[in-house]
Amino acid sequence: MGRFQDEQEMLDHYDSSKYRTPDGYTSDILLFTIVDKEAAQTKKETKATKELRLMLIKRADKDAENEPNVEGGKWAVPGGFVMPNESSYEAALRELQEETGVENVHVKHFGTYDEPGRDKRGWIISNAFYAIIPEFFLENRKAADDAVKVELFTMEEIDHLDIAFDHREIIEDAKKQITKDMLQTDIAKRFLAKEFTISELQSVILAVYYHKSIDSDNFYKKVDKLGFIEVARDRDKNMKTTTRNSKRPSRLYQFIEKAPLPSIYF
């Protein structure tokens, strides 16, 4: 027979010191954007290409109290400690607003990082989130108190940076998740005009799925048959076209409210 008569009596005698607890709890938020890379001019058309970039901060050598900063001088994912009155998700939204002033955007949790030794200060557990936001939201980005720089980097540039903590692993995991979401959801529409061409859609997808080749002819054929994208039409039901990317008119398309199934493009 147990020692206690009911739950309350058990809780009155519960000793949490018997178990190891974290030395800190943080939320890291990876802020991705997709930007125009260049305009490739040919005799027939001008085709804009895009690339994926990630916002990183450079940790200051000294903290706000002028003491040596942990992992000072290295690049890191923005984040911060979770306050006692908030969840890690709420902390991520707060950090996003504090770092960029951005609110009301889609933020997704993709991983928890709790390996002992990942932080020199102790056993720090972090929940990681990502957000994909237009570049103009990041124009007024500023470094927090423990950072001296905040910049946008391509995935290739990040390979050559000195990254703090286990943030390189977190970045790689986020890249895998955003690639999956780009192929299996309609998040591409956040980087397109309401009415867009197939080449513009393809360019956004390639910014994330850049390591895979996409056959343009097959892509066009499949997109034409997708149930969540339709040809844009005017009030008289005439098909809309544009010459903004080519001298020849290209059809305009638009997303409709219908859940895509994996994989929506291939």
Side-chain angles (χ1 to χ4, degrees), residues 182-216:
M182 183 63 77
L183 299 179
Q184 296 183 356
T185 75
D186 61 0
I187 61 172
K189 68 182 180 183
R190 296 173 196 167
F191 299 95
L192 294 163
K194 183 179 180 181
E195 297 174 351
F196 53 89
T197 67
I198 297 304
S199 64
E200 290 169 343
L201 172 61
Q202 184 183 33
S203 182
V204 167
I205 297 169
L206 284 172
V208 175
Y209 200 57
Y210 65 94
H211 59 293
K212 296 287 186 180
S213 60
I214 298 178
D215 183 270
S216 295

Side-chain angles (χ1 to χ4, degrees), residues 73-87:
K74 296 183 179 181
W75 291 94
V77 171
F81 285 92
V82 179
M83 298 293 103
N85 62 340
E86 63 184 358
S87 67

Side-chain angles (χ1 to χ4, degrees), residues 2 15 25 33 46 74 76-77 144 154 159 180 189 228 241 246:
D15 182 10
Y25 182 34
T33 191
T46 299
K74 296 183 179 181
V77 171
T154 66
D159 290 339
K180 178 180 177 181
K189 68 182 180 183
F228 54 91
T241 62
S246 173

Side-chain angles (χ1 to χ4, degrees), residues 1 5 9 41 60 65 72 78-79 93 98 128 141 149-150 164 166 173 176 182 184 204 236 245 254 262:
M1 184 175 180
Q5 298 298 316
E9 186 178 358
Q41 183 73 48
E65 286 74 40
L93 295 180
E98 290 175 358
R141 58 188 183 270
K149 289 182 181 180
V150 53
D166 57 352
D173 290 347
K176 292 175 184 177
M182 183 63 77
Q184 296 183 356
V204 167
D236 297 323
N245 296 321
Q254 61 189 12

